Amino acid sequence: AITDQVLQITLQLNEPGTVWCQPVLPATDAGKIDIADVDGTTYIAYIKGRTASFMEYVHTAFRNVDVEVNMLDNDDGLAATSLLSETPYNIFCFAQDDWQIEADNSALQSANYAIGNTATPSMAGGNTGNEITFVAATAVKDAIGQVITLDLTPPVITVTGIASTETTITVTAKLSETGTIWCQAVRTGFNVPTILEILDSNYNSAFTYAASPAATTTVLITGYDRPRNYDNSY
């Protein structure tokens, strides 16, 4: 992963050709393309992409080529949506060589040459090169494994309640994603603490995100670091 919405696949071919890659969801999904949708009859069309297509020409054998993917096709193939941050995906890749293109543009050709005669058993209708099999595409997918997009945005914190006693303050809060909440008490009118000062106070609570019902967590504060003013006085 190179961003929260972009995955990069680096690969090589053993001869010049063209390569396509396509992300899929690891689990069955009713609306988006998932791993079960790609099979021996659909793999070429689905990996080439029905709406979102990610392709790179490979001009030289055994040279690294980067394919970047950032969209996920819908099941119906009529639209695609951006990849989600911190989400696992599997990656299918498909490749074919340039046999028909090379044959048609060769400087020397047989007297009986015809473009229609360049088709081979490894060339599906409409393709211009020998293509990899579904078994090979699955092996590439398995070798890549699941890839998780990055999380580049901080959570949104919402304080839902504050309660206090003579010696404690309890903060009830939630985050927009799973994470940890730190809190620190500061006397009114004193400087706002730095991030390191808040972390150093060590009043924290882990939070596990749940959309419904809305989960919350509590942070119990039992003391505070005596803060200094800008001139280092108390």
Short mmCIF file of all heavy atoms in Angstrom, two decimals, residues 158-185:
data_model
loop_
_atom_site.label_atom_id
_atom_site.label_comp_id
_atom_site.label_asym_id
_atom_site.label_seq_id
_atom_site.Cartn_x
_atom_site.Cartn_y
_atom_site.Cartn_z
N THR A 158 -15.09 12.47 20.09
CA THR A 158 -16.31 13.13 20.54
C THR A 158 -16.48 12.86 22.03
O THR A 158 -16.55 11.69 22.45
CB THR A 158 -17.54 12.61 19.78
OG1 THR A 158 -17.35 12.81 18.39
CG2 THR A 158 -18.80 13.33 20.24
N VAL A 159 -16.51 13.91 22.83
CA VAL A 159 -16.73 13.78 24.28
C VAL A 159 -18.23 13.76 24.52
O VAL A 159 -18.94 14.69 24.15
CB VAL A 159 -16.06 14.92 25.05
CG1 VAL A 159 -16.39 14.82 26.54
CG2 VAL A 159 -14.55 14.90 24.83
N THR A 160 -18.71 12.70 25.14
CA THR A 160 -20.15 12.56 25.36
C THR A 160 -20.55 12.81 26.81
O THR A 160 -21.74 12.87 27.12
CB THR A 160 -20.61 11.15 24.95
OG1 THR A 160 -19.91 10.17 25.73
CG2 THR A 160 -20.34 10.91 23.47
N GLY A 161 -19.57 12.94 27.71
CA GLY A 161 -19.93 13.21 29.09
C GLY A 161 -18.71 13.43 29.97
O GLY A 161 -17.63 12.91 29.68
N ILE A 162 -18.88 14.22 31.03
CA ILE A 162 -17.82 14.46 32.01
C ILE A 162 -18.45 14.41 33.40
O ILE A 162 -19.49 15.03 33.65
CB ILE A 162 -17.14 15.83 31.80
CG1 ILE A 162 -16.43 15.87 30.44
CG2 ILE A 162 -16.13 16.11 32.91
CD1 ILE A 162 -15.76 17.19 30.15
N ALA A 163 -17.83 13.65 34.29
CA ALA A 163 -18.29 13.57 35.67
C ALA A 163 -17.09 13.75 36.59
O ALA A 163 -15.97 13.38 36.24
CB ALA A 163 -18.97 12.23 35.93
N SER A 164 -17.31 14.34 37.76
CA SER A 164 -16.18 14.59 38.65
C SER A 164 -16.57 14.35 40.10
O SER A 164 -17.74 14.42 40.48
CB SER A 164 -15.69 16.04 38.49
OG SER A 164 -16.71 16.96 38.84
N THR A 165 -15.54 14.03 40.89
CA THR A 165 -15.66 13.96 42.34
C THR A 165 -14.63 14.93 42.91
O THR A 165 -14.03 15.73 42.17
CB THR A 165 -15.38 12.53 42.84
OG1 THR A 165 -14.00 12.22 42.63
CG2 THR A 165 -16.26 11.52 42.11
N GLU A 166 -14.39 14.86 44.20
CA GLU A 166 -13.40 15.76 44.80
C GLU A 166 -11.99 15.47 44.29
O GLU A 166 -11.14 16.37 44.27
CB GLU A 166 -13.43 15.63 46.32
CG GLU A 166 -14.69 16.22 46.95
CD GLU A 166 -14.63 16.18 48.47
OE1 GLU A 166 -13.73 15.50 49.00
OE2 GLU A 166 -15.47 16.83 49.11
N THR A 167 -11.73 14.22 43.88
CA THR A 167 -10.35 13.85 43.52
C THR A 167 -10.22 13.23 42.13
O THR A 167 -9.11 12.86 41.73
CB THR A 167 -9.80 12.85 44.54
OG1 THR A 167 -10.65 11.70 44.59
CG2 THR A 167 -9.69 13.49 45.92
N THR A 168 -11.31 13.08 41.41
CA THR A 168 -11.23 12.44 40.09
C THR A 168 -12.09 13.17 39.07
O THR A 168 -13.05 13.87 39.41
CB THR A 168 -11.70 10.97 40.15
OG1 THR A 168 -13.10 10.93 40.45
CG2 THR A 168 -10.91 10.17 41.17
N ILE A 169 -11.72 12.98 37.82
CA ILE A 169 -12.54 13.42 36.68
C ILE A 169 -12.67 12.23 35.74
O ILE A 169 -11.67 11.59 35.39
CB ILE A 169 -11.90 14.61 35.93
CG1 ILE A 169 -11.78 15.82 36.85
CG2 ILE A 169 -12.71 14.96 34.69
CD1 ILE A 169 -11.04 16.98 36.20
N THR A 170 -13.90 11.92 35.35
CA THR A 170 -14.14 10.82 34.41
C THR A 170 -14.66 11.40 33.10
O THR A 170 -15.70 12.08 33.08
CB THR A 170 -15.16 9.81 34.97
OG1 THR A 170 -14.65 9.29 36.20
CG2 THR A 170 -15.37 8.68 33.99
N VAL A 171 -13.93 11.13 32.03
CA VAL A 171 -14.32 11.61 30.70
C VAL A 171 -14.88 10.44 29.90
O VAL A 171 -14.22 9.40 29.77
CB VAL A 171 -13.11 12.22 29.95
CG1 VAL A 171 -13.53 12.70 28.56
CG2 VAL A 171 -12.50 13.36 30.76
N THR A 172 -16.10 10.60 29.41
CA THR A 172 -16.70 9.59 28.54
C THR A 172 -16.61 10.10 27.10
O THR A 172 -17.03 11.23 26.81
CB THR A 172 -18.17 9.34 28.91
OG1 THR A 172 -18.24 8.93 30.28
CG2 THR A 172 -18.77 8.26 28.03
N ALA A 173 -16.05 9.28 26.22
CA ALA A 173 -15.81 9.74 24.85
C ALA A 173 -15.84 8.57 23.88
O ALA A 173 -15.87 7.40 24.28
CB ALA A 173 -14.46 10.46 24.77
N LYS A 174 -15.81 8.89 22.59
CA LYS A 174 -15.76 7.88 21.55
C LYS A 174 -14.93 8.40 20.39
O LYS A 174 -14.70 9.61 20.25
CB LYS A 174 -17.16 7.50 21.07
CG LYS A 174 -17.95 8.65 20.46
CD LYS A 174 -19.35 8.20 20.05
CE LYS A 174 -20.14 9.35 19.44
NZ LYS A 174 -21.50 8.92 19.02
N LEU A 175 -14.47 7.48 19.54
CA LEU A 175 -13.69 7.82 18.35
C LEU A 175 -14.44 7.36 17.10
O LEU A 175 -15.35 6.53 17.17
CB LEU A 175 -12.32 7.14 18.40
CG LEU A 175 -11.39 7.51 19.56
CD1 LEU A 175 -10.12 6.67 19.50
CD2 LEU A 175 -11.06 8.99 19.54
N SER A 176 -14.03 7.89 15.97
CA SER A 176 -14.63 7.50 14.69
C SER A 176 -14.05 6.20 14.16
O SER A 176 -14.47 5.70 13.11
CB SER A 176 -14.42 8.61 13.66
OG SER A 176 -13.04 8.88 13.50
N GLU A 177 -13.06 5.64 14.87
CA GLU A 177 -12.46 4.36 14.51
C GLU A 177 -11.80 3.78 15.75
O GLU A 177 -11.66 4.47 16.77
CB GLU A 177 -11.41 4.55 13.40
CG GLU A 177 -10.29 5.51 13.76
CD GLU A 177 -9.29 5.69 12.64
OE1 GLU A 177 -8.73 4.67 12.19
OE2 GLU A 177 -9.07 6.84 12.21
N THR A 178 -11.40 2.53 15.68
CA THR A 178 -10.74 1.89 16.82
C THR A 178 -9.42 2.59 17.12
O THR A 178 -8.65 2.91 16.21
CB THR A 178 -10.49 0.41 16.51
OG1 THR A 178 -11.76 -0.24 16.35
CG2 THR A 178 -9.73 -0.27 17.63
N GLY A 179 -9.16 2.84 18.41
CA GLY A 179 -7.93 3.54 18.79
C GLY A 179 -7.82 3.66 20.30
O GLY A 179 -8.41 2.89 21.05
N THR A 180 -7.06 4.66 20.74
CA THR A 180 -6.85 4.91 22.17
C THR A 180 -7.04 6.39 22.45
O THR A 180 -6.62 7.24 21.66
CB THR A 180 -5.43 4.48 22.60
OG1 THR A 180 -5.22 3.11 22.26
CG2 THR A 180 -5.24 4.65 24.10
N ILE A 181 -7.69 6.68 23.58
CA ILE A 181 -7.95 8.07 23.99
C ILE A 181 -7.10 8.39 25.21
O ILE A 181 -7.08 7.63 26.18
CB ILE A 181 -9.44 8.27 24.32
CG1 ILE A 181 -10.31 7.96 23.10
CG2 ILE A 181 -9.70 9.69 24.82
CD1 ILE A 181 -11.80 7.99 23.39
N TRP A 182 -6.37 9.51 25.16
CA TRP A 182 -5.62 10.02 26.31
C TRP A 182 -6.25 11.33 26.76
O TRP A 182 -6.69 12.13 25.92
CB TRP A 182 -4.16 10.31 25.94
CG TRP A 182 -3.25 9.12 25.91
CD1 TRP A 182 -2.44 8.69 26.91
CD2 TRP A 182 -3.02 8.24 24.80
NE1 TRP A 182 -1.72 7.58 26.50
CE2 TRP A 182 -2.07 7.29 25.22
CE3 TRP A 182 -3.55 8.16 23.52
CZ2 TRP A 182 -1.62 6.27 24.38
CZ3 TRP A 182 -3.11 7.15 22.68
CH2 TRP A 182 -2.16 6.22 23.12
N CYS A 183 -6.28 11.56 28.05
CA CYS A 183 -6.79 12.82 28.59
C CYS A 183 -5.85 13.33 29.68
O CYS A 183 -5.14 12.55 30.32
CB CYS A 183 -8.19 12.64 29.19
SG CYS A 183 -9.48 12.20 27.99
N GLN A 184 -5.86 14.64 29.88
CA GLN A 184 -5.07 15.24 30.95
C GLN A 184 -5.83 16.43 31.52
O GLN A 184 -6.44 17.21 30.76
CB GLN A 184 -3.70 15.70 30.45
CG GLN A 184 -2.84 16.32 31.56
CD GLN A 184 -1.51 16.83 31.05
OE1 GLN A 184 -1.22 16.73 29.87
NE2 GLN A 184 -0.70 17.38 31.94
N ALA A 185 -5.79 16.58 32.81
CA ALA A 185 -6.41 17.72 33.47
C ALA A 185 -5.40 18.86 33.58
O ALA A 185 -4.23 18.64 33.89
CB ALA A 185 -6.90 17.33 34.86
#
